[in-house]
Coordinates of all heavy atoms in Angstrom, one line a residue:
M1 N 131.6 60.2 24.3 CA 132.0 61.4 24.7 C 131.0 62.0 25.7 O 129.8 62.0 25.3 CB 132.3 62.4 23.6 CG 132.6 63.8 24.0 SD 132.7 64.9 22.7 CE 134.5 64.9 22.5
K2 N 131.4 62.5 26.8 CA 130.4 63.1 27.7 C 130.2 64.5 27.3 O 131.1 65.2 26.9 CB 131.0 63.0 29.1 CG 131.1 61.6 29.6 CD 131.7 61.6 31.0 CE 131.9 60.1 31.4 NZ 132.6 60.0 32.7
I3 N 129.0 64.9 27.3 CA 128.6 66.2 26.8 C 127.6 66.9 27.9 O 126.8 66.2 28.5 CB 127.8 66.1 25.5 CG1 128.8 65.6 24.4 CG2 127.2 67.5 25.1 CD1 128.1 65.4 23.1
L4 N 127.8 68.2 28.1 CA 126.9 68.9 28.9 C 125.7 69.1 28.0 O 125.6 70.0 27.2 CB 127.4 70.3 29.3 CG 128.6 70.3 30.2 CD1 129.1 71.8 30.4 CD2 128.3 69.7 31.5
A5 N 124.8 68.2 28.1 CA 123.6 68.2 27.2 C 122.7 69.4 27.6 O 122.4 69.6 28.7 CB 122.8 66.9 27.4
S6 N 122.3 70.1 26.6 CA 121.3 71.1 26.7 C 121.8 72.2 27.7 O 121.1 72.5 28.7 CB 120.0 70.6 27.2 OG 119.0 71.5 27.2
L7 N 122.9 72.8 27.4 CA 123.4 74.0 28.1 C 122.4 75.1 27.8 O 122.6 75.8 26.8 CB 124.8 74.3 27.8 CG 125.4 75.6 28.3 CD1 125.4 75.6 29.8 CD2 126.8 75.9 27.8
A8 N 121.4 75.2 28.5 CA 120.4 76.2 28.2 C 120.9 77.6 28.6 O 121.3 77.8 29.7 CB 119.1 75.9 29.0
A9 N 120.8 78.5 27.7 CA 121.3 79.8 27.9 C 120.1 80.7 28.2 O 119.8 81.7 27.5 CB 122.0 80.4 26.7
A10 N 119.4 80.3 29.2 CA 118.1 81.0 29.6 C 118.4 82.5 29.9 O 117.6 83.3 29.5 CB 117.5 80.3 30.8
L11 N 119.5 82.7 30.6 CA 119.8 84.1 30.9 C 120.1 84.9 29.7 O 119.7 86.1 29.5 CB 121.0 84.2 31.9 CG 120.7 83.7 33.3 CD1 121.9 83.7 34.2 CD2 119.7 84.7 34.0
A12 N 120.8 84.3 28.8 CA 121.1 85.0 27.5 C 119.9 85.3 26.7 O 119.7 86.4 26.2 CB 122.1 84.2 26.7
V13 N 119.0 84.3 26.7 CA 117.8 84.5 25.9 C 116.9 85.5 26.6 O 116.2 86.3 25.9 CB 117.0 83.1 25.7 CG1 115.7 83.3 25.1 CG2 117.9 82.2 24.9
S14 N 116.8 85.5 27.9 CA 116.0 86.5 28.6 C 116.5 87.9 28.3 O 115.7 88.9 28.4 CB 115.9 86.2 30.1 OG 117.2 86.5 30.7
L15 N 117.8 88.1 28.0 CA 118.3 89.4 27.7 C 118.0 89.9 26.3 O 118.0 91.0 26.1 CB 119.8 89.4 27.9 CG 120.3 89.2 29.4 CD1 121.8 89.1 29.4 CD2 119.9 90.4 30.2
A16 N 117.8 88.9 25.4 CA 117.6 89.3 24.0 C 116.2 89.8 23.9 O 115.2 89.1 24.1 CB 117.9 88.1 23.1
A17 N 116.0 91.0 23.4 CA 114.7 91.6 23.2 C 114.0 90.8 22.1 O 114.5 90.6 21.1 CB 114.8 93.0 22.9
G18 N 112.8 90.4 22.5 CA 112.0 89.7 21.5 C 112.4 88.3 21.2 O 111.9 87.7 20.2
A19 N 113.2 87.7 22.0 CA 113.6 86.3 21.7 C 112.4 85.4 21.9 O 111.8 85.4 22.9 CB 114.8 85.9 22.6
A20 N 112.1 84.5 20.9 CA 110.9 83.7 21.0 C 111.2 82.3 21.5 O 110.4 81.6 22.0 CB 110.2 83.6 19.7
S21 N 112.5 81.8 21.3 CA 112.8 80.4 21.7 C 114.1 80.4 22.4 O 115.0 81.2 22.2 CB 112.8 79.5 20.4 OG 113.8 80.0 19.6
A22 N 114.3 79.3 23.2 CA 115.5 79.1 23.9 C 116.6 78.6 23.0 O 116.4 78.0 22.0 CB 115.3 78.1 25.0
Q23 N 117.8 79.0 23.3 CA 119.0 78.6 22.6 C 119.7 77.6 23.5 O 119.6 77.6 24.7 CB 119.9 79.8 22.3 CG 119.3 80.8 21.5 CD 120.3 82.0 21.3 OE1 121.5 81.9 21.6 NE2 119.8 83.1 20.9
E24 N 120.5 76.7 22.9 CA 121.3 75.8 23.7 C 122.5 75.5 22.9 O 122.7 75.7 21.7 CB 120.5 74.5 24.0 CG 120.2 73.6 22.8 CD 119.4 72.4 23.2 OE1 118.5 72.5 24.1 OE2 119.7 71.3 22.7
A25 N 123.5 75.0 23.7 CA 124.8 74.5 23.1 C 125.2 73.2 23.8 O 124.7 72.9 24.9 CB 125.8 75.6 23.4
R26 N 126.0 72.5 23.1 CA 126.5 71.2 23.7 C 128.0 71.4 23.8 O 128.6 71.7 22.8 CB 126.1 70.0 22.8 CG 124.6 69.8 22.8 CD 124.3 68.6 21.9 NE 122.8 68.4 21.9 CZ 122.2 67.7 22.8 NH1 122.8 67.1 23.8 NH2 120.9 67.5 22.7
I27 N 128.5 71.1 24.9 CA 129.9 71.3 25.2 C 130.5 69.9 25.7 O 130.1 69.5 26.8 CB 130.2 72.4 26.2 CG1 129.6 73.7 25.8 CG2 131.7 72.5 26.5 CD1 129.6 74.8 26.8
G28 N 131.3 69.3 24.8 CA 131.9 68.0 25.2 C 133.0 68.2 26.2 O 133.8 69.2 26.1
W29 N 133.1 67.3 27.2 CA 134.1 67.4 28.2 C 134.7 66.0 28.5 O 135.7 65.9 29.2 CB 133.7 68.1 29.5 CG 132.5 67.4 30.1 CD1 131.2 67.6 29.9 CD2 132.5 66.3 31.0 NE1 130.4 66.8 30.6 CE2 131.2 66.0 31.3 CE3 133.5 65.6 31.7 CZ2 130.8 64.9 32.2 CZ3 133.2 64.6 32.5 CH2 131.9 64.3 32.8
G30 N 134.1 64.9 28.0 CA 134.5 63.6 28.4 C 135.9 63.2 27.9 O 136.5 62.3 28.5
D31 N 136.4 63.9 26.9 CA 137.7 63.6 26.4 C 138.8 64.4 27.1 O 140.0 64.3 26.8 CB 137.8 63.8 24.9 CG 137.5 65.2 24.6 OD1 136.7 65.9 25.3 OD2 138.1 65.7 23.6
L32 N 138.4 65.2 28.1 CA 139.3 66.1 28.8 C 139.6 65.6 30.3 O 138.7 65.1 30.9 CB 138.8 67.5 28.9 CG 138.4 68.1 27.5 CD1 137.8 69.5 27.7 CD2 139.7 68.3 26.7
D33 N 140.8 65.8 30.7 CA 141.1 65.6 32.2 C 141.0 67.0 32.8 O 141.9 67.8 32.8 CB 142.5 65.1 32.3 CG 142.9 65.0 33.8 OD1 142.1 65.2 34.7 OD2 144.1 64.7 34.0
L34 N 139.8 67.3 33.4 CA 139.5 68.6 34.0 C 140.3 68.8 35.3 O 140.3 69.9 35.8 CB 138.0 68.8 34.2 CG 137.2 68.8 32.9 CD1 135.8 69.2 33.2 CD2 137.8 69.8 31.9
S35 N 141.0 67.8 35.8 CA 141.8 68.0 37.0 C 143.2 68.6 36.6 O 144.0 69.0 37.4 CB 142.0 66.7 37.7 OG 142.8 65.8 37.0
S36 N 143.5 68.7 35.3 CA 144.8 69.3 34.8 C 144.5 70.7 34.2 O 143.4 71.0 33.8 CB 145.4 68.4 33.7 OG 144.7 68.5 32.5
A37 N 145.5 71.5 34.3 CA 145.4 72.8 33.8 C 145.1 72.8 32.3 O 144.3 73.6 31.8 CB 146.7 73.6 34.0
A38 N 145.8 71.9 31.5 CA 145.6 71.8 30.1 C 144.1 71.4 29.8 O 143.5 72.0 28.9 CB 146.5 70.8 29.5
G39 N 143.6 70.4 30.5 CA 142.2 70.0 30.3 C 141.2 71.1 30.6 O 140.3 71.3 29.9
A40 N 141.5 71.8 31.7 CA 140.6 72.9 32.1 C 140.6 74.0 31.1 O 139.6 74.6 30.8 CB 140.9 73.4 33.5
D41 N 141.8 74.3 30.6 CA 142.0 75.3 29.5 C 141.2 75.0 28.3 O 140.5 75.8 27.7 CB 143.5 75.5 29.2 CG 144.2 76.2 30.3 OD1 143.6 76.8 31.2 OD2 145.5 76.2 30.2
A42 N 141.3 73.7 27.9 CA 140.5 73.2 26.7 C 139.0 73.4 26.9 O 138.3 73.8 26.1 CB 140.9 71.8 26.4
F43 N 138.6 73.0 28.2 CA 137.1 73.2 28.5 C 136.7 74.6 28.4 O 135.7 75.0 27.9 CB 136.9 72.6 29.9 CG 135.4 72.7 30.3 CD1 134.4 72.0 29.8 CD2 135.1 73.7 31.3 CE1 133.1 72.1 30.2 CE2 133.8 73.8 31.7 CZ 132.8 73.0 31.2
D44 N 137.6 75.5 29.0 CA 137.3 76.9 29.0 C 137.2 77.4 27.5 O 136.3 78.3 27.2 CB 138.4 77.7 29.7 CG 138.3 77.5 31.2 OD1 137.3 77.1 31.7 OD2 139.3 77.9 31.9
A45 N 138.1 77.0 26.6 CA 138.0 77.4 25.2 C 136.7 76.9 24.6 O 136.1 77.7 23.8 CB 139.2 76.8 24.5
R46 N 136.2 75.7 24.9 CA 134.9 75.2 24.4 C 133.8 76.1 24.9 O 132.8 76.4 24.2 CB 134.8 73.8 24.7 CG 135.7 72.9 24.0 CD 135.6 71.4 24.4 NE 136.7 70.6 23.9 CZ 136.8 69.3 24.0 NH1 135.9 68.7 24.8 NH2 137.8 68.7 23.5
V47 N 133.8 76.4 26.2 CA 132.8 77.2 26.8 C 132.8 78.6 26.1 O 131.7 79.2 25.8 CB 132.9 77.3 28.3 CG1 131.9 78.3 28.9 CG2 132.7 75.9 29.0
T48 N 133.9 79.2 25.9 CA 134.0 80.5 25.3 C 133.5 80.5 23.9 O 132.7 81.4 23.5 CB 135.5 81.0 25.3 OG1 135.9 81.1 26.7 CG2 135.6 82.3 24.6
A49 N 133.8 79.4 23.2 CA 133.2 79.3 21.8 C 131.7 79.2 21.8 O 131.0 79.9 21.0 CB 133.8 78.1 21.1
A50 N 131.2 78.4 22.7 CA 129.7 78.3 22.9 C 129.1 79.6 23.3 O 128.0 80.0 22.8 CB 129.4 77.2 23.9
A51 N 129.7 80.3 24.2 CA 129.2 81.6 24.7 C 129.2 82.6 23.6 O 128.3 83.4 23.4 CB 130.0 82.1 25.9
D52 N 130.3 82.6 22.7 CA 130.3 83.5 21.6 C 129.1 83.3 20.7 O 128.5 84.3 20.2 CB 131.6 83.4 20.8 CG 132.8 84.0 21.6 OD1 132.6 84.8 22.5 OD2 134.0 83.6 21.2
R53 N 128.8 82.0 20.4 CA 127.7 81.7 19.5 C 126.3 82.1 20.2 O 125.5 82.7 19.6 CB 127.6 80.2 19.2 CG 128.7 79.8 18.2 CD 128.5 78.4 17.8 NE 128.3 77.4 18.8 CZ 129.3 76.8 19.5 NH1 130.5 77.1 19.2 NH2 129.0 75.9 20.4
L54 N 126.2 81.8 21.5 CA 124.9 82.1 22.1 C 124.7 83.5 22.4 O 123.5 84.0 22.5 CB 124.9 81.3 23.5 CG 124.8 79.8 23.4 CD1 125.0 79.1 24.7 CD2 123.4 79.4 22.8
C55 N 125.7 84.3 22.6 CA 125.6 85.7 23.0 C 125.7 86.7 21.9 O 125.7 87.9 22.2 CB 126.6 86.0 24.1 SG 126.4 85.0 25.6
R56 N 125.7 86.2 20.7 CA 125.8 87.1 19.5 C 124.5 87.9 19.5 O 123.4 87.4 19.5 CB 125.9 86.2 18.3 CG 126.4 87.0 17.1 CD 126.7 86.1 15.9 NE 127.5 85.0 16.3 CZ 127.4 83.8 15.8 NH1 126.4 83.4 15.0 NH2 128.2 82.8 16.2
G57 N 124.7 89.2 19.5 CA 123.5 90.1 19.3 C 122.7 90.3 20.5 O 121.6 90.8 20.5
V58 N 123.1 89.8 21.7 CA 122.3 90.0 22.9 C 122.3 91.4 23.4 O 123.3 92.1 23.4 CB 122.9 89.1 24.0 CG1 122.2 89.4 25.4 CG2 122.8 87.6 23.7
R59 N 121.1 91.9 23.7 CA 121.0 93.3 24.1 C 120.3 93.3 25.5 O 119.5 92.4 25.8 CB 120.1 94.1 23.1 CG 120.6 94.0 21.7 CD 121.5 95.3 21.4 NE 121.9 95.3 20.0 CZ 123.1 95.2 19.7 NH1 124.1 95.1 20.5 NH2 123.4 95.2 18.4
R60 N 120.5 94.4 26.2 CA 119.7 94.6 27.4 C 118.3 94.8 27.1 O 118.0 95.5 26.1 CB 120.3 95.8 28.2 CG 121.6 95.6 28.8 CD 122.1 96.8 29.6 NE 123.5 96.6 29.9 CZ 124.1 97.5 30.6 NH1 123.6 98.6 31.0 NH2 125.4 97.3 30.9
P61 N 117.4 94.3 27.9 CA 115.9 94.6 27.6 C 115.6 96.1 27.5 O 116.0 96.8 28.4 CB 115.2 93.9 28.8 CG 116.2 92.9 29.3 CD 117.5 93.5 29.1
G62 N 115.0 96.4 26.4 CA 114.6 97.8 26.3 C 115.7 98.8 25.9 O 115.6 100.0 26.1
S63 N 116.8 98.2 25.5 CA 118.0 99.0 25.2 C 118.7 98.6 23.9 O 118.5 97.5 23.5 CB 119.0 98.9 26.4 OG 120.2 99.6 26.1
R64 N 119.5 99.5 23.4 CA 120.3 99.1 22.3 C 121.7 98.7 22.7 O 122.6 98.4 21.9 CB 120.4 100.2 21.3 CG 119.1 100.5 20.6 CD 119.3 101.5 19.5 NE 118.0 101.7 18.8 CZ 117.9 102.4 17.7 NH1 119.0 103.0 17.2 NH2 116.8 102.5 17.1
L65 N 122.0 98.8 24.0 CA 123.3 98.4 24.5 C 123.5 96.9 24.6 O 122.6 96.2 24.9 CB 123.5 99.0 26.0 CG 123.4 100.5 26.1 CD1 123.5 100.9 27.6 CD2 124.5 101.2 25.3
S66 N 124.7 96.5 24.2 CA 125.1 95.1 24.2 C 125.3 94.7 25.6 O 125.7 95.4 26.5 CB 126.3 94.9 23.4 OG 126.8 93.6 23.6
D67 N 124.9 93.4 25.9 CA 125.2 92.9 27.2 C 125.9 91.5 27.1 O 125.6 90.6 27.8 CB 123.8 92.7 28.0 CG 124.0 93.0 29.5 OD1 125.2 93.0 29.9 OD2 123.0 93.1 30.2
R68 N 126.8 91.5 26.1 CA 127.6 90.2 25.9 C 128.4 89.8 27.1 O 128.5 88.6 27.3 CB 128.5 90.4 24.7 CG 127.7 90.3 23.4 CD 128.7 90.3 22.2 NE 129.2 89.0 22.1 CZ 130.1 88.6 21.3 NH1 130.6 89.5 20.5 NH2 130.6 87.4 21.3
T69 N 128.9 90.7 27.8 CA 129.8 90.4 28.9 C 129.0 89.6 30.0 O 129.4 88.6 30.5 CB 130.4 91.6 29.6 OG1 131.2 92.3 28.6 CG2 131.3 91.3 30.7
F70 N 127.8 90.1 30.3 CA 127.0 89.4 31.3 C 126.5 88.1 30.7 O 126.5 87.1 31.4 CB 125.7 90.3 31.6 CG 124.8 89.6 32.6 CD1 125.1 89.5 33.9 CD2 123.6 89.0 32.1 CE1 124.2 88.9 34.8 CE2 122.8 88.4 32.9 CZ 123.1 88.3 34.3
C71 N 126.2 88.1 29.5 CA 125.7 86.8 28.8 C 126.8 85.8 28.9 O 126.5 84.6 29.2 CB 125.2 87.1 27.4 SG 124.8 85.7 26.5
R72 N 128.0 86.1 28.5 CA 129.1 85.2 28.5 C 129.4 84.6 29.9 O 129.7 83.5 30.0 CB 130.3 85.8 27.9 CG 130.1 86.1 26.4 CD 131.3 86.8 25.8 NE 132.4 85.8 25.6 CZ 133.6 86.1 25.2 NH1 133.9 87.3 24.8 NH2 134.5 85.2 25.1
A73 N 129.3 85.5 30.9 CA 129.5 85.1 32.3 C 128.4 84.1 32.7 O 128.7 83.1 33.4 CB 129.6 86.3 33.2
A74 N 127.2 84.4 32.3 CA 126.1 83.5 32.6 C 126.2 82.1 31.9 O 126.0 81.1 32.6 CB 124.8 84.1 32.2
V75 N 126.7 82.1 30.7 CA 126.9 80.8 30.0 C 128.0 80.0 30.7 O 127.9 78.8 30.9 CB 127.2 81.0 28.5 CG1 127.7 79.8 27.8 CG2 126.0 81.6 27.8
R76 N 129.1 80.7 31.1 CA 130.2 80.0 31.8 C 129.7 79.5 33.1 O 130.0 78.3 33.4 CB 131.4 81.0 32.0 CG 132.5 80.4 32.8 CD 133.7 81.3 32.7 NE 134.2 81.5 31.4 CZ 134.8 80.6 30.6 NH1 135.0 79.4 31.0 NH2 135.2 80.9 29.4
A77 N 129.0 80.2 33.9 CA 128.5 79.8 35.1 C 127.6 78.6 35.0 O 127.7 77.6 35.7 CB 127.8 80.9 35.9
E78 N 126.7 78.6 34.0 CA 125.8 77.5 33.7 C 126.6 76.2 33.3 O 126.3 75.1 33.7 CB 124.8 77.9 32.7 CG 123.8 76.8 32.3 CD 122.8 76.5 33.5 OE1 122.9 77.1 34.5 OE2 121.9 75.6 33.3
A79 N 127.6 76.4 32.4 CA 128.4 75.2 32.0 C 129.1 74.6 33.2 O 129.1 73.3 33.3 CB 129.4 75.7 31.0
V80 N 129.7 75.3 34.1 CA 130.3 74.8 35.2 C 129.3 74.1 36.2 O 129.5 73.1 36.7 CB 131.2 75.8 36.0 CG1 131.7 75.3 37.3 CG2 132.3 76.3 35.1
R81 N 128.2 74.8 36.3 CA 127.1 74.2 37.2 C 126.6 72.9 36.7 O 126.3 72.0 37.5 CB 125.9 75.2 37.3 CG 124.8 74.8 38.3 CD 123.6 75.7 38.1 NE 122.8 75.4 36.9 CZ 122.0 74.3 36.8 NH1 121.9 73.4 37.7 NH2 121.4 74.2 35.6
L82 N 126.6 72.7 35.4 CA 126.1 71.4 34.9 C 127.1 70.3 34.9 O 126.7 69.1 34.7 CB 125.6 71.6 33.4 CG 124.4 72.4 33.3 CD1 124.1 72.7 31.8 CD2 123.2 71.7 33.9
L83 N 128.4 70.5 35.3 CA 129.3 69.4 35.4 C 129.0 68.6 36.6 O 128.5 69.1 37.6 CB 130.7 70.0 35.6 CG 131.4 70.7 34.4 CD1 132.7 71.4 34.9 CD2 131.7 69.7 33.3
P84 N 129.2 67.2 36.5 CA 128.9 66.4 37.6 C 129.8 66.8 38.8 O 130.9 67.3 38.6 CB 129.3 65.0 37.1 CG 129.3 65.1 35.6 CD 129.6 66.5 35.3
G85 N 129.4 66.5 40.0 CA 130.0 66.9 41.3 C 131.5 66.7 41.3 O 132.2 67.7 41.5
A86 N 132.0 65.5 41.1 CA 133.4 65.3 41.3 C 134.2 66.0 40.1 O 135.3 66.5 40.4 CB 133.7 63.8 41.2
V87 N 133.7 66.0 39.0 CA 134.3 66.7 37.8 C 134.4 68.2 38.1 O 135.4 68.8 37.8 CB 133.6 66.3 36.5 CG1 134.2 67.1 35.3 CG2 133.6 64.9 36.3
K88 N 133.3 68.7 38.6 CA 133.2 70.1 39.0 C 134.3 70.5 40.0 O 135.0 71.5 39.9 CB 131.9 70.5 39.5 CG 131.7 72.0 39.7 CD 130.3 72.3 40.3 CE 129.2 71.6 39.7 NZ 127.9 72.0 40.3
V89 N 134.5 69.6 41.0 CA 135.6 69.8 42.0 C 136.9 69.8 41.3 O 137.8 70.7 41.6 CB 135.5 68.8 43.1 CG1 136.7 68.9 44.0 CG2 134.2 69.0 43.9
D90 N 137.2 68.8 40.5 CA 138.5 68.7 39.8 C 138.7 70.0 38.9 O 139.8 70.5 38.9 CB 138.5 67.5 38.8 CG 138.6 66.2 39.6 OD1 139.0 66.2 40.8 OD2 138.3 65.1 39.0
Y91 N 137.7 70.4 38.2 CA 137.8 71.6 37.4 C 138.2 72.8 38.2 O 139.1 73.6 38.0 CB 136.6 71.8 36.6 CG 136.6 73.2 35.9 CD1 137.3 73.4 34.7 CD2 135.8 74.2 36.4 CE1 137.3 74.6 34.1 CE2 135.8 75.5 35.8 CZ 136.6 75.6 34.6 OH 136.6 76.9 34.0
S92 N 137.4 73.0 39.3 CA 137.6 74.1 40.2 C 139.0 74.2 40.8 O 139.6 75.2 40.9 CB 136.5 74.2 41.3 OG 135.3 74.3 40.7
L93 N 139.5 73.0 41.2 CA 140.8 72.9 41.8 C 141.9 73.2 40.8 O 142.9 73.8 41.1 CB 141.0 71.5 42.5 CG 140.2 71.3 43.7 CD1 140.4 69.8 44.2 CD2 140.6 72.2 44.8
S94 N 141.7 72.8 39.6 CA 142.7 73.1 38.5 C 142.7 74.6 38.2 O 143.7 75.0 37.6 CB 142.4 72.3 37.3 OG 141.2 72.8 36.6
R95 N 141.7 75.3 38.5 CA 141.7 76.8 38.2 C 142.3 77.6 39.3 O 142.5 78.8 39.2 CB 140.2 77.3 38.0 CG 139.5 76.6 36.9 CD 139.9 77.0 35.5 NE 141.1 76.3 35.1 CZ 141.9 76.6 34.1 NH1 141.6 77.7 33.3 NH2 143.0 76.0 33.8
L96 N 142.6 77.0 40.5 CA 143.3 77.7 41.6 C 144.7 78.1 41.2 O 145.4 77.3 40.6 CB 143.2 76.9 42.9 CG 141.9 76.7 43.5 CD1 142.0 75.7 44.7 CD2 141.2 78.0 43.9
P97 N 145.2 79.3 41.7 CA 146.5 79.6 41.4 C 147.5 78.7 42.2 O 147.2 78.3 43.3 CB 146.6 81.1 41.9 CG 145.5 81.3 42.8 CD 144.4 80.3 42.4
I98 N 148.6 78.5 41.6 CA 149.7 77.7 42.3 C 150.4 78.6 43.2 O 151.0 79.6 42.8 CB 150.6 77.0 41.3 CG1 149.8 76.0 40.5 CG2 151.8 76.3 42.0 CD1 150.6 75.4 39.4
V99 N 150.5 78.3 44.5 CA 151.2 79.1 45.5 C 152.5 78.4 45.8 O 152.5 77.2 46.3 CB 150.3 79.3 46.8 CG1 151.1 80.1 47.8 CG2 149.0 79.9 46.4
A100 N 153.6 79.1 45.6 CA 154.9 78.5 45.9 C 155.3 78.8 47.3 O 155.0 79.6 48.0 CB 155.9 79.1 44.9

């Protein structure tokens, strides 16, 4: 199974006040056809689950305000960035709206 090894949530960790160590998640994608809507949806669900784990309790530096939205977006962007070139293109094309 192909896995996005070491999806480093550096942005998420930098937002967490007092975080001492980096967090990471592994998101499998090798069993998915990312050129299909169903495969891309499954990948999105895996990324969302990883982001939920990584972004739990994330706060803005020097604040008590949650910054989960920014953290989750950063995790999603990093997951897509780490996909190999052709797979990234397939995934991106599957996310485009169908124009009739």
Side-chain angles (χ1 to χ4, degrees):
M1 172 186 267
K2 296 178 182 173
I3 295 176
L4 294 178
S6 186
L7 170 62
L11 289 174
V13 172
S14 70
L15 292 174
S21 64
Q23 298 176 16
E24 67 179 41
R26 294 181 181 272
I27 302 170
W29 58 269
D31 61 328
L32 303 174
D33 176 7
L34 295 184
S35 65
S36 72
D41 288 345
F43 177 74
D44 287 343
R46 293 175 187 182
V47 171
T48 297
D52 286 345
R53 286 189 309 274
L54 291 170
C55 298
R56 198 174 308 142
V58 172
R59 305 265 185 242
R60 292 183 189 177
S63 173
R64 291 186 176 190
L65 297 176
S66 173
D67 216 348
R68 283 188 77 184
T69 302
F70 177 77
C71 175
R72 290 176 75 183
V75 170
R76 177 167 302 287
E78 181 69 359
V80 172
R81 186 188 72 77
L82 289 173
L83 288 171
V87 176
K88 188 184 313 183
V89 170
D90 287 344
Y91 170 78
S92 298
L93 290 174
S94 72
R95 299 287 81 194
L96 292 175
I98 298 173
V99 178

